[in-house]
Amino acid sequence: MADNKFAAYICSGCGIGDVLNVGALEKIAQKEGKMAMVKSHPFLCNAEGVQMIRDDVANEGVTHLCIAACSRRAKAEAFSFPTAAVARANLREGVIWVVAEGSDHDEIRQEMAEDYVRMGCAEVKKMIVPGGNVKESSSKRILVVGGGISGMTAALAAADAGYEVVIVEKSAALGGFARNLLKRVPFSGPYAEPQATGVEEMAARIGTHPRIKAHLNSTVAKTAGAPGRFQISVAQESGAVTEETVGAVVQATGFTTYDIARLPELGGGQANVVDQAGLEAMAKQANGGAIKRADGKEVKSVVFVQCAGQRDTTGTHLAYCSGHCCATSIKQAMYFKDQNPDIDTVVMYQDLRVPGMGEDFYRSAQQKGVIFTKGKAGKVSGGDNCKVEFRDLILDEDTAADADLVVLATGQVPNAGVDLDVWTEINTKAEGGDEAAKQQRRDLEATSVLKLAYRQGPDMPQFKYGFADSHFICFPYETRRTGIYATGPVRRPMDMLQAQEDATGAALKAIQAVENAQQGRAAHPRAWDLSFPKARLEGCTQCKRCTVECPFGAIDEDEKRFPLFNEERCRRCGTCMGACPVRVISFENYSCDTVGSQIKAVNVPDEFEEKPRILILACENDAYPALDMAGIQRITYSAFVRAIPVRCLGSVNTIWITDALNSGYDGVMMMGCKKGDDYQCHFVKGSEMAHYRMSKIGDTLKQLGLEPERVQTQEVAITDNARVARLINEYVEQINEIGPSPMKGFG
Amino acid sequence: MAKKQYAFYPGCSSQKGATASNFLTSLDVVVQKLDLQLNEIPDWNCCGASIGYAEGGELPRLVINARNLAIAEKELPGQDMVSGCPACWLATRETHERLAEHANLLAETNVALKEAGLNLNNTVRARHMTEVLIEDIGWDAMKAPVVKPLDHLKIAGYVGCQTNRPFGIAGESFENPKYLDKMIETVGAEAVKYDQKVTCCGGALAFSEPDKSQKQIRDIVEAAYDGGADLIVTPCQLCQANVEVYQSEINKKHGTKLNMPVVYYTQLMSIAYGGTAQQAGLDGQVIKADKLAAIAKK
Amino acid sequence: MTTNANSANQNALARYKNNFLKEVEANVEDGHMVKMCMQCGVCAGSCPLGPAWQHSPQKIFMMIRAGKREEVLGSDSMWMCTSCYNCIVRCPRQLPITHIMHGLANYAHRLDLAPKGQPTREIAKLFWDNLVKTGRVNELKFSLAMYFKDGFGQGVKNAMAMQATGLGLLKAKRLNPMELVGGHKCKDIGGFRKMVAKAREIEDRRRGLA
Ligand code: SF4
Ligand code: SF4
Ligand code: SF4
């Protein structure tokens, strides 16, 4: 510690100096914050102000800076001093812009500012500049699992960008589902005619690409390690195993068509009732000539039944829409019309969904005379004369259509491997010694795609309906296994064009992952972060909470059953830190102490002053920006709150809550992202874990003799700027009603 | 300045003694003040209106309109055809466009025209009088002759269908065209806001489906009342007739007290340009437009 | 059904067998656009007389595609079209709906499958006859003919019902009783009639109605 030198810089610009007593703040930083050097500046973020700090770092040996100015989200570039630890006291967005104007509020405004200065000084004292962990030998190769359209696209994209790629395909040829198509839905203008799939050309390019190595007839037998150092065992059909070292993995394992045998009511299993894949086979067979049924009869009339076993509300079949099937049926209807315009082709739909440029394709089919009937098929009978009984949804009547052939547009079922929820249950029993469960686990693991040697199970966690979990909107490529990216229909239903786009994105993510891994940096959403969790294992009780709660499966166990952190898999959310009951996990720049010391630094007035103190722990991804935005829009809220940004609500350790309550805070409010199926948590499960933990805090409160309302958790979105202010004000009112905390003065 | 010349197609309803004769009367003043010369197309014939389809079919309807275009092309070369009646304009413009698009139809049309000794090269543009005023004359020139601004008059500009759809005045929206309101303001009156500006009056179905059409008419007039209008102004002969003459009928059936004058934009203009009530054809109103007549007397 | 219309109908049935859509495409004004309807229903919601229609344009197009020939041609829906063109300007697929409605009405009328005594059908026919006779439409004769279309007794009643309206127009000099004995007319009425006859002949031949 001898080399540390602490300095505080207080900005009086942006109106801070007009409404706050900067001199008093300087004194606080000096006396209470124990800063060796305190300076104020009228315009700290300008070149001169920044230079002043730089000079102090260079010439005065300053190692730790508390910058009391604007929010940490503002002027991040100006106030970036890579060699120093930096804490930011938010006087602008957090104080002067949110506290009501006027001299009536001068006192509480100043108190708020003083607390933030105290907090900033306390925080920085506990911070260490992350040393980082550059790994020269880290692998930059990329493994692509699956050789269909998505996999081939990802492989070519990564290889063309200069990265070595290993592709593993379980069948004897590349191309996947698309290899069996006669043509594909158009992907370029004028979007009027089916186009060649291009599969052969892609496969040929892969075959001759200097940076791509393809394993056909192969599967992944084991995936161990972490980004930058994955060890992959590739098992050939023959039994031979090849070892590959890669830096990142793209899982492009595609989909299987929904089994039409499960649709007996729609004629599944009967003669002359096929699915779209079946029709492709017939069309390929016909090779441009008349399409013939299995019995050799030329098809003169065909009905396409859309949404077969899809968008099902009864819970029997797929609940979702696979997105591609309307356009696929349109394409297939064209196979008939283009060969012979007199063939009756009816597409029976409930809602025709043709995303992208599909509308042009739809119109083209109408031009060709394909008939579109809005109806819901009730019963299909196959045989020599097929019959589709349906409800005409426009004419509102039950009617029927005859056809030589019926095509069922069935959906995509993701090839996502083992469902971890099922696995975990069996695994728990197996670990308990249950022999039957051990066999079940072996059987289940045989169906795994990635065969991850992870403590958390052999495949990626799945989302609704068995798709590999990824956030559709905010971070579509991220999964919950760092450095492994799901792409194509394995992560959500999609068509070829979308899969190609998706796979290009996944290739980029994989590239980013290998580069970050080498530099010892985190992945999304803290991709710049060089810190990683460190555990003082001597204090560890082997409770396994961290292993279980880490949303990303970053933590394995060593032979002695201690947690084994794979830092390259870690996303730096701090959920493990929040989980650990004995608080032995910390990051250099974020720890139980960096936050705990801030909580304790706040000056809590006694009960007679009628100035409640409320701690806000706000997620830095959404809630804290929303608070800043409230300030930017000059939406005022109570000056009795003290907000601390946290990496994720998942990182909130209950010690912070008990510390706060013990030191006389009147309430604690936690603001995190939405959880559940439509989660917005940047760490997927962090906020859910926090909610779960907080649901148990009632007991602690009872022990302390406190009302349950003293701790509150709120879901906040980044756009909620007006709402956060309202929530705060309502909460302060509620606390005022309950009265001051009885703990005051004991802390 | 040389007068602007147009091949004029008055249409059946504007003939003397016909339902829209007062339109033609009021047009005279406007034409004089704005220095337009309307040369009536010799021996013009009916456009077939909207209702002609049932017996007429497609080609006969195209052909009767082509006859007018062919005569104009021959007798009044180089002049745009202008019509005061939206139905005439619509039918003629549709003919012009469809024949321009389909060479086979033009050929068939010419076979038929030959029977009347005519031939069509399809060079004549068909336009509506409001288009000519807006595009050829312009707002400023339209305002210049105003000597008696229609101060304090609140007017509901009722655009209706056929000057508005399917062609419409260039640059206007189908759902809320503004040109008629602008005309009202140009002559110094106030254009009221109401929600039936482009509602159909029932058209030719006023005859065959009186109840259904009269419901439309009632909605239009009542909305104009709700908007605070003193009178309704329209560019359409059929709208004018339907909305004006059926009010008494509606009153009788439903006990309403509708009594809203309905005039043409040309009538507003001729009064504002200093014309007498008679020159503006106000004597032709079934429901007297007293407030407008009073301005003429000032 | 007149013999002419009947044989035309039989011809059409034989020619298009079960494909009513093809029949419409070949014989109805702008019929080739029927297949392009995407069943959004905007037209149905835009029609001023929408509630009075047996089948909205949307449904008519669906029925055509479903081959419901008799129901479509016998429907009184198309006769409710006021030619307001609302549907045309709103249709996202740019179907010339008004024209198709006119065309369907015309075709149904010519095959004599349209509803008998449908008032708009009657009036439309009277209007056209009036037009072909003089080249211009004589409103008074047209109105009188309309009042008496349902027979003399009904005509008097109709005329009485509309008396106020008629008198109003008379007073305003917008209905001319003199028209009854003369009035407006094209000079070259001979050429006009021959021309119309020719056009009809060409079109009828094209449509197998001759
Ligand atoms: S919980 Fe978060 S911070 Fe901890 S190891 Fe997992 S990813 Fe890293
Ligand atoms: S949560 Fe803490 S005590 Fe539990 S296993 Fe992890 S490091 Fe050890
Ligand atoms: S608006 Fe057009 S596309 Fe929509 S239903 Fe009507 S005709 Fe069809």
CSV table of all heavy atoms in Angstrom, one decimal, chain A residues 533 550-552 554-555 570-576 587, ligand 1:
chain,number,residue,atom,x,y,z
A,533,PRO,N,-12.9,-12.9,-11.3
A,533,PRO,CA,-13.2,-13.3,-9.9
A,533,PRO,C,-12.0,-14.0,-9.3
A,533,PRO,O,-11.4,-14.9,-9.9
A,533,PRO,CB,-14.4,-14.2,-10.0
A,533,PRO,CG,-14.6,-14.6,-11.4
A,533,PRO,CD,-13.8,-13.6,-12.2
A,550,CYS,N,-23.8,-19.2,-10.9
A,550,CYS,CA,-23.2,-18.5,-12.1
A,550,CYS,C,-24.0,-18.8,-13.3
A,550,CYS,O,-24.2,-19.9,-13.7
A,550,CYS,CB,-21.7,-19.0,-12.3
A,550,CYS,SG,-21.1,-18.4,-13.9
A,551,PRO,N,-24.5,-17.7,-14.0
A,551,PRO,CA,-25.4,-17.9,-15.1
A,551,PRO,C,-24.7,-18.5,-16.3
A,551,PRO,O,-25.3,-19.0,-17.2
A,551,PRO,CB,-25.9,-16.5,-15.4
A,551,PRO,CG,-25.6,-15.7,-14.3
A,551,PRO,CD,-24.4,-16.3,-13.6
A,552,PHE,N,-23.4,-18.5,-16.3
A,552,PHE,CA,-22.6,-18.9,-17.5
A,552,PHE,C,-21.8,-20.2,-17.3
A,552,PHE,O,-21.0,-20.5,-18.2
A,552,PHE,CB,-21.7,-17.7,-17.9
A,552,PHE,CG,-22.5,-16.5,-18.1
A,552,PHE,CD1,-22.6,-15.5,-17.1
A,552,PHE,CD2,-23.3,-16.3,-19.2
A,552,PHE,CE1,-23.4,-14.4,-17.3
A,552,PHE,CE2,-24.1,-15.2,-19.4
A,552,PHE,CZ,-24.2,-14.2,-18.4
A,554,ALA,N,-19.4,-20.9,-15.5
A,554,ALA,CA,-17.9,-20.6,-15.5
A,554,ALA,C,-17.2,-21.4,-14.5
A,554,ALA,O,-15.9,-21.4,-14.6
A,554,ALA,CB,-17.7,-19.1,-15.3
A,555,ILE,N,-17.9,-21.9,-13.5
A,555,ILE,CA,-17.1,-22.4,-12.4
A,555,ILE,C,-17.3,-23.9,-12.3
A,555,ILE,O,-18.4,-24.5,-12.3
A,555,ILE,CB,-17.7,-21.8,-11.0
A,555,ILE,CG1,-17.7,-20.2,-11.2
A,555,ILE,CG2,-16.8,-22.2,-9.9
A,555,ILE,CD1,-18.5,-19.5,-10.1
A,570,CYS,N,-15.9,-16.5,-17.7
A,570,CYS,CA,-16.6,-15.5,-16.8
A,570,CYS,C,-17.0,-14.2,-17.5
A,570,CYS,O,-16.2,-13.7,-18.3
A,570,CYS,CB,-15.7,-15.2,-15.6
A,570,CYS,SG,-16.2,-13.8,-14.6
A,571,ARG,N,-18.2,-13.7,-17.2
A,571,ARG,CA,-18.7,-12.5,-17.8
A,571,ARG,C,-18.6,-11.3,-16.9
A,571,ARG,O,-19.0,-10.2,-17.2
A,571,ARG,CB,-20.1,-12.7,-18.3
A,571,ARG,CG,-20.2,-13.9,-19.2
A,571,ARG,CD,-19.9,-13.5,-20.7
A,571,ARG,NE,-21.2,-13.1,-21.3
A,571,ARG,CZ,-22.0,-14.0,-21.9
A,571,ARG,NH1,-21.6,-15.3,-22.0
A,571,ARG,NH2,-23.1,-13.7,-22.5
A,572,ARG,N,-18.1,-11.5,-15.7
A,572,ARG,CA,-17.8,-10.5,-14.7
A,572,ARG,C,-19.1,-9.8,-14.2
A,572,ARG,O,-19.2,-8.6,-13.9
A,572,ARG,CB,-16.9,-9.3,-15.3
A,572,ARG,CG,-15.5,-9.6,-15.4
A,572,ARG,CD,-15.1,-10.7,-16.3
A,572,ARG,NE,-13.7,-10.7,-16.7
A,572,ARG,CZ,-13.1,-11.7,-17.4
A,572,ARG,NH1,-13.8,-12.7,-17.9
A,572,ARG,NH2,-11.8,-11.6,-17.7
A,573,CYS,N,-20.2,-10.6,-14.1
A,573,CYS,CA,-21.4,-10.1,-13.5
A,573,CYS,C,-21.4,-10.0,-12.0
A,573,CYS,O,-22.1,-9.2,-11.4
A,573,CYS,CB,-22.6,-11.0,-13.9
A,573,CYS,SG,-22.5,-12.7,-13.3
A,574,GLY,N,-20.5,-10.9,-11.4
A,574,GLY,CA,-20.4,-10.9,-10.0
A,574,GLY,C,-21.5,-11.7,-9.3
A,574,GLY,O,-21.7,-11.6,-8.1
A,575,THR,N,-22.3,-12.4,-10.0
A,575,THR,CA,-23.3,-13.2,-9.4
A,575,THR,C,-22.7,-14.2,-8.3
A,575,THR,O,-23.3,-14.4,-7.3
A,575,THR,CB,-24.1,-14.0,-10.4
A,575,THR,OG1,-24.7,-13.1,-11.3
A,575,THR,CG2,-25.2,-14.8,-9.8
A,576,CYS,N,-21.5,-14.7,-8.6
A,576,CYS,CA,-20.9,-15.6,-7.7
A,576,CYS,C,-20.6,-14.8,-6.4
A,576,CYS,O,-20.7,-15.3,-5.3
A,576,CYS,CB,-19.6,-16.2,-8.3
A,576,CYS,SG,-18.5,-14.9,-9.0
A,587,PHE,N,-13.6,-9.2,-7.1
A,587,PHE,CA,-12.9,-8.7,-8.3
A,587,PHE,C,-12.0,-7.6,-7.8
A,587,PHE,O,-12.3,-6.9,-6.8
A,587,PHE,CB,-13.8,-8.2,-9.3
A,587,PHE,CG,-14.8,-9.2,-9.9
A,587,PHE,CD1,-16.0,-9.5,-9.1
A,587,PHE,CD2,-14.6,-9.8,-11.1
A,587,PHE,CE1,-16.9,-10.4,-9.6
A,587,PHE,CE2,-15.5,-10.7,-11.6
A,587,PHE,CZ,-16.7,-11.0,-10.8
D,1,SF4,S1,-21.2,-15.4,-11.7
D,1,SF4,FE1,-20.6,-13.9,-13.1
D,1,SF4,S2,-18.8,-13.0,-12.3
D,1,SF4,FE2,-19.1,-14.9,-11.3
D,1,SF4,S3,-17.9,-16.4,-12.4
D,1,SF4,FE3,-20.0,-16.4,-13.2
D,1,SF4,S4,-19.9,-15.0,-14.9
D,1,SF4,FE4,-18.1,-14.6,-13.6
